[in-house]
Amino acid sequence: MKAAVLREVRTPLQIEDVQINKPGPHEVLIRTAAAGVCHSDLHFIEGSYPHPLPAVLGHESAGVVEQVGSEVRTVKPGDHVITCLSAFCGHCEFCLTGHMSLCVSPETKRGQDDEPRLTSKKGPMMQYLNLSSFAEQMLIHEHACVAIRKDMPLDRAALIGCGVMTGVGAAMHTSNVRPGDTVAVIGCGGVGLAAINGAAIAGAGRIIAIDMAPGKENMVKAFGATDFICAATSADVVKEVIEMTKGGVQHSFEAIGLSKTAEQAFNMLRRGGTANIIGMIPVGQTITLMGAAFLGEKRIQGSLMGSNRFPVDMPRLVDFYMSGKLHLDDMISRRIKLEDVNDAFTEMKTGAVARSVIVFDA
C-alpha cells in the first residue's frame, strides 16, 4: 500500500510502498477513506515532540472495515468507522473509572516479539499514535475505532477522529461548560473551531474567539462565537477579554500550543475560572503564572483528546452533524491526495486554513 513516511525530522514525508500485516485476535484492518492533516503531526515532523522513526504519520481518520481478528466483537467487515488515537484496553484503572482517554496499556499494541503491523523493504516501520492513517490501509486494535451510521460522509467523519473530538470534548467534558457560561478560545484552527462549536452546543452564553487572522471573524461566528478579537491588532488581549466580560471568563481554551497564549488563557479568567490547555506546548518549554491568582480559585489544566469516551461520544457527534448542530462542512478548507500532504503542512503554517483532508480513492 502507499503511505506517507517520516524518516527524519524536519524533512518532507516520503510516499512509499509499505507492507501491512494481517489482523491479530483483537485487531481490525481498515481501508482508509479520509485522513485529516492535523497540526499535531507537524509537531512530530518538526521534532517538537519525539517519536521513533521511520513512521507512517496520520491520526485523524475514517474508513471501512475490511477484516477483523478472531476475538473482535465491536465491529465487523463493511462497517464504517472513525478511528481514535486514544486506544483503550477496557480493564485498567483509568478505563474502569471512566477515563478511557488516559489509558496507556501496552495491550493495544503489538509486543516486541510479535511481527510488526507495518514493514517496508528497509525493515520495520513504526506505527504512529496507534493508527498511522496517512496510508491506504490501517491495522489497529479494535478499541481504536468505533462504528458509525453509514449515511455520514467519511471525509467529515474523519475530522471527528481527532480535532473535533478534542475541541468539543474539552468544552463539554474537560471543562464542563454549562448553559450561560462565558468562554474564550485562543487559536481558531480546527481544534479551536471545534471548541467554539462545543461550547455553543453546551449552551455557553458568550463565546469570545481570539486569532491572529482578521479574516476568520465570519468563520468563528458561523461556528457559534459571539465575539471576535484579532490578536494581531489588539493592544492587550487579556485586558480586552476582562473588560468585555466585566471580570474575565469562566472557561478559556488555548488551542495553539504556545507558552505565551497558555499564560494569557489563565490570566483572562474570572475568579473560580478554568483554563484548559489543548495545544501541544513543545517539550522543554515552561509557563509562568502569578501565584496570587490561585487565591481566587483559578485553575489551569490539560485536556487530552477532549477527555473522551469515544465509543459513545463519536456516534453522538455524528448525530449532531447530521442534525445540523455540529459544523464540519466549513471546517474542510480543501480535499487533497496523499501525494499532496507536504503541501498541506506548508499551507498549515500560514494559519489561513482550518483543515486539509486527504481523500483516498474508493
Side-chain angles (χ1 to χ4, degrees), residues 119-135:
T119 57
S120 72
K121 293 180 179 179
K122 298 178 182 179
M125 186 73 62
M126 303 303 299
Q127 190 172 41
Y128 172 73
L129 300 182
N130 300 307
L131 298 174
S132 289
S133 57
F134 289 170

Side-chain angles (χ1 to χ4, degrees), residues 242-305:
I242 291 174
E243 289 177 350
M244 291 171 67
T245 56
K246 295 181 173 58
V249 294
Q250 291 162 299
H251 310 267
S252 63
F253 300 89
E254 196 280 348
I256 302 174
L258 298 174
S259 297
K260 178 182 177 181
T261 45
E263 293 165 3
Q264 289 175 332
F266 182 78
N267 292 333
M268 64 179 58
L269 295 174
R270 64 181 291 180
R271 291 168 68 87
T274 303
N276 300 271
I277 310 305
I278 310 174
M280 296 173 64
I281 299 173
V283 174
Q285 290 191 14
T286 60
I287 61 174
T288 302
L289 305 174
M290 296 296 292
F294 292 104
L295 294 175
E297 295 191 3
K298 297 180 181 180
R299 296 177 295 276
I300 186 167
Q301 62 186 8
S303 178
L304 176 63
M305 280 295 295

Side-chain angles (χ1 to χ4, degrees), residues 42-57:
L42 185 60
H43 283 300
F44 288 93
I45 292 172
E46 295 185 335
S48 299
Y49 279 74
H51 192 280
L53 299 178
V56 176
L57 295 194

Side-chain angles (χ1 to χ4, degrees), residues 64-338:
V64 179
V65 175
E66 291 193 322
Q67 297 178 34
V68 300
S70 59
E71 299 298 321
V72 171
R73 299 292 181 267
T74 55
V75 295
K76 63 185 183 302
D79 279 350
H80 290 197
V81 294
I82 301 174
T83 64
C84 188
L85 64 91
S86 53
F88 64 94
C89 69
H91 51 259
C92 69
E93 182 178 353
F94 290 120
C95 291
L96 293 177
T97 55
H99 301 93
M100 297 149 60
S101 63
L102 301 180
C103 178
V104 291
S105 172
E107 294 178 21
T108 61
K109 302 175 177 62
R110 288 196 174 183
Q112 291 184 349
D113 296 333
D114 297 327
E115 291 184 1
R117 288 173 177 164
L118 302 173
T119 57
S120 72
K121 293 180 179 179
K122 298 178 182 179
M125 186 73 62
M126 303 303 299
Q127 190 172 41
Y128 172 73
L129 300 182
N130 300 307
L131 298 174
S132 289
S133 57
F134 289 170
E136 293 173 327
Q137 291 175 297
M138 294 174 281
L139 181 60
I140 65 175
H141 192 276
E142 65 172 313
H143 290 163
C145 66
V146 58
I148 59 170
R149 51 196 284 186
K150 291 186 178 181
D151 57 346
M152 175 68 183
L154 288 174
D155 57 344
R156 276 140 283 188
L159 302 180
I160 295 174
C162 178
V164 172
M165 185 71 260
T166 295
V168 172
M172 291 184 171
H173 296 326
T174 313
S175 207
N176 193 27
V177 173
R178 307 295 295 171
D181 284 354
T182 52
V183 170
V185 178
I186 305 175
C188 300
V191 172
L193 290 172
I196 292 169
N197 203 169
I201 293 172
R206 192 168 192 180
I207 304 170
I208 303 169
I210 304 164
D211 197 272
M212 292 289 288
K216 286 191 175 180
E217 181 171 3
N218 291 335
M219 177 178 284
V220 299
K221 289 186 176 179
F223 278 78
T226 57
D227 304 89
F228 176 74
I229 297 174
C230 178
T233 58
S234 174
D236 188 332
V237 168
V238 172
K239 182 179 179 181
E240 197 166 343
V241 170
I242 291 174
E243 289 177 350
M244 291 171 67
T245 56
K246 295 181 173 58
V249 294
Q250 291 162 299
H251 310 267
S252 63
F253 300 89
E254 196 280 348
I256 302 174
L258 298 174
S259 297
K260 178 182 177 181
T261 45
E263 293 165 3
Q264 289 175 332
F266 182 78
N267 292 333
M268 64 179 58
L269 295 174
R270 64 181 291 180
R271 291 168 68 87
T274 303
N276 300 271
I277 310 305
I278 310 174
M280 296 173 64
I281 299 173
V283 174
Q285 290 191 14
T286 60
I287 61 174
T288 302
L289 305 174
M290 296 296 292
F294 292 104
L295 294 175
E297 295 191 3
K298 297 180 181 180
R299 296 177 295 276
I300 186 167
Q301 62 186 8
S303 178
L304 176 63
M305 280 295 295
S307 307
N308 72 77
R309 306 95 23 108
F310 81 84
V312 173
D313 293 332
M314 288 186 178
R316 289 179 178 176
L317 291 178
V318 168
D319 288 340
F320 279 152
Y321 168 77
M322 298 299 288
S323 65
K325 297 175 183 176
L326 187 66
H327 307 301
L328 302 181
D329 296 341
D330 294 336
M331 194 176 288
I332 300 178
S333 302
R334 65 189 187 112
R335 294 167 177 83
I336 62 174
K337 295 182 178 181
L338 180 64

